[in-house]
Amino acid sequence: MAYKLRTRTQKRPYVSCDDDDDDDGYESDSRRRMDPEFTRNVKPRRSNTLITESAEQRRAGRPPRRTRKSTPSAGEASISGSKPGEYVARTIMSWLIDHGIIIENEKIYYVADREGGSDDHKQNKREVLMKGRSRREGVWCECCNEVMTVWDFETHAGSVLQRPYEHIYVARSNSSLLQCQVEVWQSNVEVERRTFNEIVPRDGASDKHDDACLICADGGDLICCEKCWSTSHLKCLGLESIPQGDWICPYSVCRHCNKNDKDLQTCVQCYKKYHFQCILNYKEWDLNTSGETLACDSRCGEVHEKLQSLVGVKHELEGGFCWTLLQRMEPDNLDFRDRHLITECNSKIALAWEVLDECFTTIIDRHTQINVVQSVAYSRGSNLNRINFRGFYTAILEKNDDIISAATIRVHGTDLAEMPFIGTRHLYRKKWMSRMLLVTLESILTVVGVEHLIIPSVQELTEMWERKCGFSPIGDAVSQKIINRSTLTFPSAVRLQKALLSTPAGSPSAVMNADVGSENCAKLAGLDLNQEYTESGDEEAENK
């Protein structure tokens, strides 16, 4: 019996909930309408002024009395010390100030533990090497009256430990900047931003399958996978007719033998399934390697090792710039035992998200109501393959610890990589910052051995990407690879590709113009995923 298509033209409401949430994951329509993340409008920042008035004052018609709010609690961001439209540095110090963990211009000092003594007496054995005050840009040094980065402050103190956040303490709280970062990272705001996106259908839904195609992200008549909640269009799969029997998506079968059973494991790099026995024919097996960190073949394994070796490592560029590859990490990650590196990397992930949020209008997936850019930046997983963003890396461009440009990439083995978002802060636009970051990313991918880079582009910008950046429309070979990969795209978006191994990373074709869009536009144009898109034929019919 032929498999029947399930019509999914009506939008079925989904909600995103946390794994450890006590409620059933549902919320009322009124709550959703009041939720500022439900629309594309950016959530207004919290005011730093409280208005208090008594009942007698209200009856007498007196104006309310204004009082300054005290230091915000952990996780509650503020914009104290900055004016609307004013450029604010995106540094870790600025991040801690915005979340109220430290106060701007308060006393801090660099300390070094003296040799000898037990751990119980380390507090009394710390030697103050340098004093300063906190600034959004870094640290103001008392001895030379200059503002410098926290790393330069450590060098200025005569230390070679290369762990400034661990040894710079806040005088008021007697906590290190490393402890301050951990406090913000563990706050409710940050935990919610990186929580697993478990999508739960409402009561009365016919099934749990996704309402959008895994390949094109649009709705319509979809064929449903029998082993997971993924769906696809027949046209996107390259099929002309409904297949006989059950259809299983590429993410639910072994990538080598195309079979599905309980012995499948997940690749640490491309997240495709594989059998242990199948990969024995592809690589020499290391019995000392943990099964949880194995890749589906030797190529994915090499890509994963090379990318992980770059995570958190700062690379200097000309002009005082530097780039760093980031990925969200947990302290129990066995690949990264350096607590200082993990903490700094996670903090910069949060800052990179703020940069991207500043560059793009809020993009909400109309089927699941998740914030797409935020989920990608934090590499959030999901029970739906289409919005499972595990494996994403974030590349940042910095100057004096200030993040000025950010891009998100995900590498699907050596076949292809995707870069759905790249943005530069307004003060640094028209200065070739995005070009510098894009060339860096292409160099990384070329060294790793990736063949193609793909991007989703709005129709209005395809000419720019093709003319100035060397991209071209998706070819048949790459299109076939996309069918077997879950890549991020949007309804009505145009996918473009660029061959990497055949193009030197520093060539003129690898130039990204940072001046994309209108000069008066504060944010780059984003795609409205709340809008129902129609086929071109339907639009012509409506116009007639």
Side-chain angles (χ1 to χ4, degrees):
M1 179 177 179
Y3 192 97
K4 294 183 179 180
L5 286 174
R6 303 183 186 182
T7 303
R8 317 186 75 80
T9 55
Q10 298 295 328
K11 183 173 65 175
R12 178 161 51 91
Y14 275 103
V15 295
S16 177
C17 66
D18 298 343
D19 283 339
D20 54 353
D21 202 351
D22 294 334
D23 58 22
D24 57 3
Y26 304 133
E27 55 185 354
S28 64
D29 290 338
S30 61
R31 284 181 59 190
R32 293 175 62 195
R33 285 193 294 268
M34 294 297 294
D35 182 6
E37 293 294 334
F38 183 72
T39 65
R40 296 174 66 245
N41 297 328
V42 180
K43 183 177 180 180
R45 293 188 181 271
R46 187 186 301 272
S47 173
N48 203 37
T49 301
L50 293 179
I51 300 178
T52 59
E53 57 180 346
S54 63
E56 291 78 13
Q57 287 176 323
R58 288 196 299 270
R59 285 194 295 269
R62 298 176 183 176
R65 176 169 54 89
R66 296 179 181 268
T67 60
R68 297 303 298 175
K69 185 179 179 181
S70 60
T71 303
S73 58
E76 181 180 330
S78 67
I79 53 172
S80 59
S82 61
K83 300 178 181 179
E86 180 183 358
Y87 181 85
V88 178
R90 296 293 185 188
T91 65
I92 291 180
M93 293 295 290
S94 178
W95 184 59
L96 295 177
I97 292 173
D98 285 340
H99 285 271
I101 301 299
I102 63 176
I103 303 173
E104 190 169 10
N105 202 39
E106 71 173 316
K107 294 181 179 181
I108 59 177
Y109 48 88
Y110 188 95
V111 301
D113 295 334
R114 297 177 182 174
E115 297 182 359
S118 62
D119 293 339
D120 297 336
H121 297 86
K122 278 188 176 181
Q123 183 71 22
N124 299 325
K125 287 183 172 293
R126 291 192 179 115
E127 178 183 2
V128 177
L129 301 182
M130 192 68 62
K131 295 181 180 180
R133 291 185 178 271
S134 60
R135 292 286 194 274
R136 289 182 174 272
E137 298 80 8
V139 179
W140 177 80
C141 179
E142 286 188 356
C143 71
C144 57
N145 294 331
E146 292 183 1
V147 177
M148 58 188 68
T149 67
V150 292
W151 289 87
D152 291 339
F153 187 67
E154 180 184 54
T155 303
H156 188 52
S159 174
V160 293
L161 296 176
Q162 295 187 349
R163 295 195 303 273
Y165 296 106
E166 183 179 340
H167 291 272
I168 297 179
Y169 277 73
V170 180
R172 173 178 52 87
S173 62
N174 202 26
S175 300
S176 69
L177 294 182
L178 195 69
Q179 294 170 324
C180 293
Q181 293 177 62
V182 173
E183 183 177 351
V184 177
W185 185 251
Q186 293 177 348
S187 65
N188 293 334
V189 173
E190 285 297 330
V191 170
E192 183 179 356
R193 288 176 177 175
R194 64 179 186 269
T195 302
F196 185 85
N197 275 326
E198 182 172 1
I199 309 303
V200 181
R202 290 187 179 276
D203 291 333
S206 59
D207 58 64
K208 297 181 180 180
H209 285 86
D210 195 357
D211 284 336
C213 175
L214 178 66
I215 301 172
C216 72
D218 210 347
D221 292 334
L222 304 168
I223 184 172
C224 303
C225 178
E226 292 297 329
K227 297 298 181 180
C228 70
W229 311 129
S230 299
T231 60
S232 296
H233 295 113
L234 290 176
K235 182 179 180 180
C236 293
L237 293 171
L239 301 176
E240 297 181 355
S241 60
I242 302 174
Q244 296 290 331
D246 295 339
W247 175 74
I248 303 177
C249 76
Y251 273 82
S252 297
V253 296
C254 174
R255 62 165 299 185
H256 301 297
C257 67
N258 290 325
K259 295 181 180 180
N260 174 275
D261 54 46
K262 61 181 180 180
D263 295 328
L264 288 174
Q265 300 186 51
T266 303
C267 177
V268 70
Q269 178 59 39
C270 69
Y271 294 97
K272 297 290 290 293
K273 297 293 191 299
Y274 69 93
H275 287 116
F276 175 83
Q277 293 296 329
C278 290
I279 65 172
L280 291 178
N281 299 326
Y282 288 84
K283 59 180 289 188
E284 182 179 352
W285 191 255
D286 185 0
L287 297 179
N288 295 322
T289 304
S290 172
E292 297 179 355
T293 60
L294 294 177
C296 59
D297 59 24
S298 59
R299 293 179 299 174
C300 266
E302 292 174 0
V303 169
H304 181 72
E305 291 179 2
K306 291 178 180 178
L307 290 176
Q308 290 295 303
S309 66
L310 294 174
V311 171
V313 181
K314 186 178 294 186
H315 300 266
E316 301 294 336
L317 298 172
E318 295 181 357
F321 297 95
C322 64
W323 66 269
T324 309
L325 190 66
L326 307 173
Q327 189 178 49
R328 179 170 61 86
M329 299 179 288
E330 300 302 332
D332 57 351
N333 193 327
L334 297 179
D335 293 334
F336 295 89
R337 295 182 174 87
D338 190 337
R339 184 167 175 262
H340 190 279
L341 174 66
I342 295 175
T343 304
E344 184 181 14
C345 189
N346 288 338
S347 300
K348 289 186 176 181
I349 283 287
L351 285 166
W353 145 243
E354 293 181 358
V355 170
L356 292 173
D357 186 47
E358 177 183 323
C359 296
F360 292 90
T361 53
T362 304
I363 302 177
I364 302 297
D365 180 67
R366 73 172 184 263
H367 299 288
T368 61
Q369 301 305 313
I370 69 166
N371 188 319
V372 178
V373 184
Q374 183 186 89
S375 297
V376 170
Y378 283 88
S379 59
R380 299 175 68 172
S382 177
N383 57 322
L384 297 183
N385 286 324
R386 180 177 62 88
I387 58 171
N388 184 2
F389 301 129
R390 293 172 58 192
F392 262 102
Y393 293 81
T394 299
I396 59 173
L397 185 67
E398 297 176 277
K399 186 171 185 179
N400 296 327
D401 285 351
D402 181 17
I403 300 179
I404 59 180
S405 186
T408 58
I409 60 170
R410 180 165 56 178
V411 182
H412 301 271
T414 56
D415 291 335
L416 56 87
E418 58 176 320
M419 184 186 68
F421 302 109
I422 181 170
T424 299
R425 303 193 66 196
H426 63 88
L427 184 65
Y428 287 91
R429 292 177 187 173
K430 301 184 180 181
K431 297 181 180 180
W432 298 59
M433 296 296 103
S434 292
R435 171 197 176 182
M436 188 183 304
L437 185 58
L438 179 60
V439 170
T440 298
L441 286 175
E442 291 180 0
S443 300
I444 296 173
L445 296 175
T446 301
V447 171
V448 170
V450 178
E451 298 176 1
H452 291 90
L453 174 64
I454 63 172
I455 61 171
S457 172
V458 292
Q459 185 67 43
E460 294 79 6
L461 297 181
T462 54
E463 182 182 357
M464 183 279 298
W465 284 106
E466 294 176 4
R467 177 169 50 89
K468 296 185 177 181
C469 307
F471 284 84
S472 61
I474 293 291
D476 293 338
V478 176
S479 179
Q480 188 63 35
K481 294 178 181 179
I482 292 177
I483 293 178
N484 296 319
R485 297 286 189 273
S486 176
T487 57
L488 177 59
T489 189
F490 311 97
S492 79
V494 178
R495 276 194 175 106
L496 301 175
Q497 71 175 51
K498 182 175 183 179
L500 296 177
L501 297 181
S502 60
T503 304
S507 65
S509 62
V511 173
M512 166 64 184
N513 188 353
D515 308 335
V516 177
S518 172
E519 296 181 0
N520 298 325
C521 184
K523 293 193 174 187
L524 297 179
L527 292 167
D528 186 357
L529 302 189
N530 294 311
Q531 176 183 351
E532 293 289 347
Y533 293 90
T534 58
E535 299 291 340
S536 58
D538 296 337
E539 292 178 349
E540 293 177 359
E542 291 176 359
N543 294 333
K544 292 179 180 179

